[in-house]
């Protein structure tokens, strides 16, 4: 199998973080996103394209033009994007790249979407714009022509250069809209140096974890810690468990709002070990957010934490000497249907606004980001995989190596969940209920019942456009 960090595509916390505010993300007034500010001026045609098209300039980027690129500066930083600017400028020295970084994507970029937006926006983080709303409002450009364009510095097309799942993760309504540049693997992290010292074996099953937990507690550590503030963190783990225990088809049925999908065989069984983990007081107490929980783990207050492969880069400044960040798979039950399938996906998605003044250069910049040279720099600087094949081949790093190993030993499918991309209200409810379960305020059965009710509400609402997942 190939590897990713968000699918290493969240890879990213973001496809990851991507759902944090999803329920109200693009709450433009009744008019809608693109119509909100339109009307006062006729739409201006772009004069940035029109250059001769070639293998090295497939979109006809015009010399003397400028492209505005906005980077989400979160757990992966932004130095990798600055390297892409160098790569782009080497091929297009007469095109000006105006690059900026922010964590306030929705706040800063959404108001401009109806007038003159940036050319290329990395739509990620807790303050991200809701993808489905962007697509339904016609606010972002389909990028299918990017997929068929020549790869920047390798044979074949851009699509040929991407890891499995990347195209599907960015596709909605049969069109490709979102270019995810990171490939994230999720699972349970532990300190291999500590485990060697104590003679502990990293568990593969829930039974092994529950057998190890008393030994961990005897050392004054909590067996587990997680982000208890952002509900999409525990939801990743819960949905991965449902896939492993109940199988892929059940998750596909959940995504497709099939009647009683949440009550299918295996769903409750998948969630019961998480309920036991909470009930047995194996969680580190306290309502910690992502960085607080990650720091507590680095400080030796807990043995395991579940996050994605952005972890090392996000916490680089406070990792203790000798700490060996090592990623293991989510634990499974002995008779699960898909115990080896790994939760990995592309994430950190770029979009090109439909009213961007220089869409040609935006697409060309995406080619540079997805190049072999650009993706290698991404892996080197972030210690996470890029969504381009082979990005981590030459990076020597324990954390990245363990993610690669996990992927190579994984099953035939990558765990992926779509309903949070499809339906903002269901996304929000799943986050809230995941928090409640992990706080001990819901049983596994209550979680299932409430998620089924929330899914039924969406399914019966004729005003909500329904999405269908086939794979």
């Amino acid at each position: 199998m190939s590897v990713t960090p968000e699918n290493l595509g969240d890879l990213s916390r973001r496809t990851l973080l991507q759902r944090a505010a999803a329920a109200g993300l693009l709450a433009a007034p009744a008019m809608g996103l693109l119509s909100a500010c339109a009307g006062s001026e006729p739409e201006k045609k772009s004069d940035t394209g029109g250059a001769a098209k070639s293998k090295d300039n497939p979109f006809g980027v015009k010399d003397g033009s400028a492209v505005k690129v906005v980077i989400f500066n979160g757990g992966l930083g932004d130095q990798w994007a600055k390297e892409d600017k160098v790569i782009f400028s080497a091929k297009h020295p007469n095109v000006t790249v105006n690059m900026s970084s922010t964590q306030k994507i929705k706040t800063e970029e959404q108001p401009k979407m109806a007038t003159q937006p940036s050319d290329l926006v990395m739509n990620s983080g807790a303050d991200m714009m809701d993808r489905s709303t962007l697509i339904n409002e016609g606010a972002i450009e389909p990028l299918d022509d990017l997929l068929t364009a020549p790869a920047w510095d390798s044979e074949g097309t851009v699509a040929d250069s991407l890891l499995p799942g990347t195209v599907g993760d960015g596709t909605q309504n049969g069109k490709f809209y979102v270019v995810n540049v990171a490939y994230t693997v999720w699972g349970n992290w532990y300190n291999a140096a500590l485990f060697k010292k104590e003679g502990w074996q990293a568990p593969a099953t829930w039974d092994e974890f529950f057998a190890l937990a008393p030994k961990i507690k005897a050392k004054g550590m909590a067996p587990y810690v997680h982000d208890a503030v952002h509900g999409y963190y525990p939801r990743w783990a819960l949905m991965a468990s449902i896939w492993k225990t109940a199988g892929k088809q059940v998750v596909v049925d959940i995504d497709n709002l099939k009647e009683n999908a949440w009550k299918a065989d295996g769903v409750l069984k998948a969630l019961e070990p998480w309920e036991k983990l909470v009930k047995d007081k194996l969680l580190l107490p306290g309502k910690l957010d992502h960085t607080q929980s990650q720091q507590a783990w680095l400080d030796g207050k807990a043995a395991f934490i579940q996050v994605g492969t952005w972890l090392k880069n996000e916490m680089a400044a406070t990792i203790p000497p000798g700490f060996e960040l090592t990623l293991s798979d989510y634990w499974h039950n002995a008779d699960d249907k898909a115990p080896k399938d790994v939760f990995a996906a592309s994430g950190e998605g770029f979009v090109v606004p439909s009213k961007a003044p220089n869409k040609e250069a935006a697409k060309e910049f995406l080619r540079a980001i997805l190049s072999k040279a650009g993706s290698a720099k991404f892996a080197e600087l972030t210690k996470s995989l890029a969504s381009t094949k082979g990005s981590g081949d030459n990076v020597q790093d324990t954390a990245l190596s363990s993610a690669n190993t996990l992927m190579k030993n994984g099953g035939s499918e990558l765990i992926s969940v779509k309903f949070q991309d499809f339906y903002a209200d269901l996304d929000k409810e799943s986050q809230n209920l995941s928090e409640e379960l992990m706080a001990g305020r819901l049983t596994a059965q209550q979680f299932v019942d409430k998620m089924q009710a929330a899914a039924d509400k969406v399914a019966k609402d004729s005003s909500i456009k329904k999405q269908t997942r086939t794979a």
Side-chain angles (χ1 to χ4, degrees):
M1 287 177 64
S2 301
V3 187
T4 97
E6 156 221 214
N7 286 271
L8 285 169
D10 98 338
L11 299 182
S12 22
R13 171 166 78 246
R14 316 340 147 190
T15 295
L16 310 21
L17 283 161
Q18 293 179 4
R19 339 297 190 200
L25 270 183
L26 294 183
M31 288 185 286
L33 193 65
L34 288 182
S35 59
C37 300
S40 58
E41 296 182 40
E43 184 176 346
K44 296 179 181 178
K45 290 187 177 181
S46 169
D47 62 356
T48 53
K53 296 182 180 181
S54 65
K55 183 178 180 181
D56 279 341
N57 190 7
F59 304 110
V61 179
K62 186 177 180 181
D63 280 353
S65 65
V67 58
K68 182 171 176 54
V69 180
V70 178
I71 302 299
F72 172 71
N73 189 4
L76 298 175
D78 63 358
Q79 185 57 44
W80 59 271
K82 295 174 183 177
E83 297 292 337
D84 292 324
K85 180 178 177 179
V86 173
I87 292 169
F88 177 91
S89 296
K91 186 172 287 191
H92 298 284
N94 298 317
V95 177
T96 301
V97 179
N98 297 313
M99 180 177 287
S100 61
S101 299
T102 183
Q103 292 191 0
K104 298 294 184 180
I105 297 297
K106 183 189 76 168
T107 301
E108 296 175 7
E109 295 303 313
Q110 178 183 317
K112 299 185 290 187
M113 295 294 278
T115 53
Q116 185 162 312
S118 302
D119 297 298
L120 182 60
V121 179
M122 185 175 178
N123 186 36
S124 187
D127 189 42
M128 70 178 293
M129 299 179 286
D130 179 56
R131 172 171 128 167
S132 289
T133 305
L134 288 174
I135 293 171
N136 292 337
E137 290 280 353
I140 56 176
E141 191 80 357
L143 299 172
D144 299 271
D145 56 344
L146 173 67
L147 295 177
T148 58
W152 184 274
D153 54 3
S154 61
E155 295 300 316
T157 64
V158 169
D160 293 334
S161 72
L162 300 176
L163 285 170
T166 305
V167 173
D169 290 337
T171 298
Q172 192 162 319
N173 302 337
K175 295 182 179 180
F176 182 67
Y177 288 96
V178 182
V179 181
N180 291 322
V181 299
Y183 205 68
T184 301
V185 179
W186 286 268
N188 294 315
W189 290 87
Y190 65 97
N191 177 5
L194 171 67
F195 274 57
K196 291 172 189 173
K197 176 184 174 183
E198 299 295 342
W200 297 339
Q201 181 69 36
T205 68
W206 278 108
D207 286 344
E208 291 170 356
F209 167 71
F210 288 122
L212 178 61
K215 299 177 183 177
I216 295 172
K217 293 185 74 173
K219 293 294 181 178
M221 303 174 68
Y224 210 81
V225 66
H226 76 110
D227 179 346
V229 174
H230 302 103
Y232 44 88
Y233 273 78
R235 184 186 61 199
W236 295 330
L238 300 180
M239 293 308 303
S241 292
I242 290 172
W243 179 297
K244 284 176 173 290
T245 303
K248 174 182 177 178
Q249 187 58 50
V250 168
V251 175
V252 171
D253 291 343
I254 286 173
D255 290 338
N256 289 340
L257 303 178
K258 184 177 179 180
E259 186 176 0
N260 290 324
W262 283 94
K263 297 185 177 182
D265 289 346
V267 175
L268 181 61
K269 182 180 178 181
L271 299 174
E272 286 175 336
W274 292 103
E275 180 183 347
K276 175 177 171 60
L277 184 152
V278 176
K279 187 180 296 183
D280 289 358
K281 300 187 184 305
L282 303 181
L283 274 177
L284 183 68
K287 192 173 177 65
L288 307 178
D289 67 15
H290 58 292
T291 53
Q292 290 170 335
S293 59
Q294 289 163 192
Q295 190 58 54
W297 175 68
L298 290 172
D299 291 340
K301 295 179 181 178
F304 291 98
I305 186 170
Q306 80 85 21
V307 291
T309 42
W310 64 82
L311 173 64
K312 183 167 186 176
N313 192 70
E314 187 164 60
M315 305 303 293
T318 59
I319 297 173
F323 199 105
E324 296 181 20
L325 289 83
T326 306
L327 181 64
S328 63
D329 199 6
Y330 288 115
W331 304 313
H332 60 269
N333 298 299
D335 54 352
D336 281 355
K337 290 187 176 180
K340 289 191 174 183
D341 285 1
V342 175
F343 189 11
S346 61
E348 309 301 337
F350 277 89
V351 297
V352 177
S354 296
K355 292 195 174 185
N358 198 351
K359 288 181 273 195
E360 298 84 8
K363 295 175 186 179
E364 184 70 348
F365 200 90
L366 285 169
R367 278 210 316 140
I369 291 175
L370 298 172
S371 67
K372 289 176 65 177
S375 62
K377 276 293 183 182
F378 180 93
E380 175 189 340
L381 293 167
T382 67
K383 302 302 184 289
S384 296
L385 293 171
S387 57
T388 302
K389 296 173 183 175
S391 66
D393 288 353
N394 297 316
V395 180
Q396 301 300 316
D397 178 79
T398 303
L400 189 58
S401 174
S402 63
N404 274 312
T405 299
L406 178 57
M407 291 296 298
K408 290 175 181 176
N409 294 332
S412 60
E413 299 273 4
L414 292 180
I415 295 172
S416 62
V417 185
K418 303 294 186 182
F419 73 82
Q420 67 266 26
D421 287 323
F422 292 165
Y423 309 109
D425 288 343
L426 190 56
D427 170 26
K428 183 178 180 181
E429 184 69 358
S430 72
Q431 293 185 42
N432 292 339
L433 295 178
S434 295
E435 287 184 45
E436 292 294 290
L437 176 64
M438 295 304 291
R441 293 188 289 268
L442 285 181
T443 65
Q445 183 64 65
Q446 289 170 328
F447 177 92
V448 167
D449 293 341
K450 288 179 179 293
M451 280 304 306
Q452 186 61 64
D456 290 344
K457 182 178 180 181
V458 173
K460 294 174 183 176
D461 190 338
S462 60
S463 69
I464 299 176
K465 183 175 181 179
K466 304 304 189 293
Q467 307 290 339
T468 300
R469 170 183 181 177
T470 58

